């Protein structure tokens, strides 16, 4: 957790507000968060009233954020130093883009094992395979969620039927409403992806993802013959053993060559 926090504090874009949301953690973890708050004056710790889910926490932080741009990440991920600077610079230069993601180095217990890049400018059909944005790598414009009065008019869905697909639902909704995104074709984010993460994808979550997919594809106007098989994909993958599912995920990762060495060295020195 501390490494993740320091990867934000060490960003080349130093003019930032750092909100840490405590979603009803246990006493020991709450104490750790309290200590992390003392690392830097830019950190503001927000304690939630019990565990109300990631969507509720995200909406709470969005309401309290004061910046022009909003970024998020999880406590077990990391950022390369120039991540936020590169993304903010892109948004400044491209006013018609509502949010921007980036590529990611994939890591687990044994370190970096691959990397993933998403399509530069996703369209409707790109949602059929998977969400075309790595959620914790995205930087949003404030006005995507908040109006000029600072009121939340567009939010993450907090309903029980969403499960862990809050990002998928949001990105499909944004696309339908004309808020288009972009993915920088460089790895600026360190994304944890390993067996422990695969095991968290329980059957109930996969079933909810199927429902989110089907409803989203339908609203996006994707024909039934194409949306049905794409909608049940999470259930089919959920039937695979963890190791086989991990192998499937690794097929979407790649290495590019010599430039990987510098990124891997940076990761090992964090």
């Amino acid at each position: 957790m501390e490494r993740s926090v320091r990867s934000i504090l060490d960003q080349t874009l130093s003019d930032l507000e750092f909100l840490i949301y405590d979603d009803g953690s246990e006493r020991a973890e709450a104490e750790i968060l309290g200590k992390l708050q003392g690392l830097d004056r830019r950190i503001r710790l927000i304690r939630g009233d019990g565990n109300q889910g990631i969507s509720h926490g995200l909406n709470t932080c969005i309401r309290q954020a004061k910046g022009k741009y909003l970024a998020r990440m999880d406590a077990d991920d990391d950022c390369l130093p120039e991540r936020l600077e590169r993304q903010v610079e892109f948004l400044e230069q491209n006013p018609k883009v509502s949010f921007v993601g980036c590529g990611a180095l994939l890591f687990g217990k044994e370190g970096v094992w691959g990397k993933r890049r998403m399509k530069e400018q996703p369209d409707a059909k790109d949602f059929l395979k998977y969400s075309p944005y790595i959620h914790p790598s995205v930087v949003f414009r404030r006005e995507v969620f908040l109006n000029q009065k600072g009121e939340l008019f567009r939010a993450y869905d907090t309903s029980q039927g969403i499960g862990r697909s809050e990002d998928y639902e949001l990105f499909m909704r944004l696309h339908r409403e004309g808020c288009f995104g972009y993915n920088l074709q460089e790895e600026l984010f360190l994304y944890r992806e390993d067996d422990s993460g695969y095991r968290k994808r329980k059957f109930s979550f996969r079933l909810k993802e199927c429902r989110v997919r089907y409803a989203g594809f339908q609203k996006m106007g994707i024909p039934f013959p194409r949306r049905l098989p794409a909608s049940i994909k999470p259930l089919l993958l959920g039937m695979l053993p963890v190791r086989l599912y991990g192998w499937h995920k690794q097929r979407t990762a790649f290495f590019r060559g010599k430039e990987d060495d510098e990124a891997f060295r940076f990761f090992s020195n964090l």
Side-chain angles (χ1 to χ4, degrees), residues 101-209:
C102 63
L105 294 173
L106 308 175
F107 74 99
K109 295 178 181 178
E110 298 180 357
V112 175
W113 56 265
K115 59 169 65 173
R116 181 169 293 134
R117 286 186 184 176
M118 314 304 284
K119 185 176 178 180
E120 224 170 337
Q121 293 179 280
D123 54 31
K125 68 178 182 299
D126 294 310
F127 285 87
L128 289 169
K129 289 185 177 180
Y130 40 67
S131 175
Y133 303 97
I134 301 174
H135 187 208
S137 81
V138 173
V139 175
F140 298 89
R141 294 187 187 278
R142 175 185 176 88
E143 56 263 30
V144 168
F145 301 101
L146 300 160
N147 60 27
Q148 293 182 348
K149 297 181 180 179
E151 299 168 333
L152 189 69
F153 75 95
R154 187 186 285 125
Y156 285 89
D157 192 327
T158 58
S159 62
Q160 292 294 321
I162 293 298
R164 294 192 174 184
S165 301
E166 74 286 337
D167 56 332
Y168 213 155
E169 189 280 332
L170 175 71
F171 288 130
M172 285 192 288
R173 180 158 37 100
L174 292 178
H175 190 89
R176 295 197 312 269
E177 296 175 2
C179 297
F180 300 114
Y182 187 93
N183 285 307
L184 299 182
Q185 298 300 291
E186 54 184 322
E187 290 71 46
L188 300 171
F189 190 73
L190 293 149
Y191 188 46
R192 181 176 294 278
E193 191 167 282
D194 55 20
D195 287 355
S196 62
Y198 304 150
R199 289 189 174 91
K200 292 178 181 178
R201 306 300 290 185
K202 299 179 181 179
F203 178 80
S204 60
F205 294 142
R206 293 187 176 279
L207 187 59
K208 290 176 180 178
E209 183 181 347

Side-chain angles (χ1 to χ4, degrees), residues 20-26 29-35 37 45-50 60:
I20 298 179
Y21 186 77
D22 178 5
D23 193 18
S25 62
E26 299 292 334
E29 293 179 339
E31 291 178 353
I32 292 174
L33 291 174
K35 292 179 181 179
Q37 184 180 19
L45 180 60
I46 302 172
R47 297 194 184 276
D49 185 16
T60 299

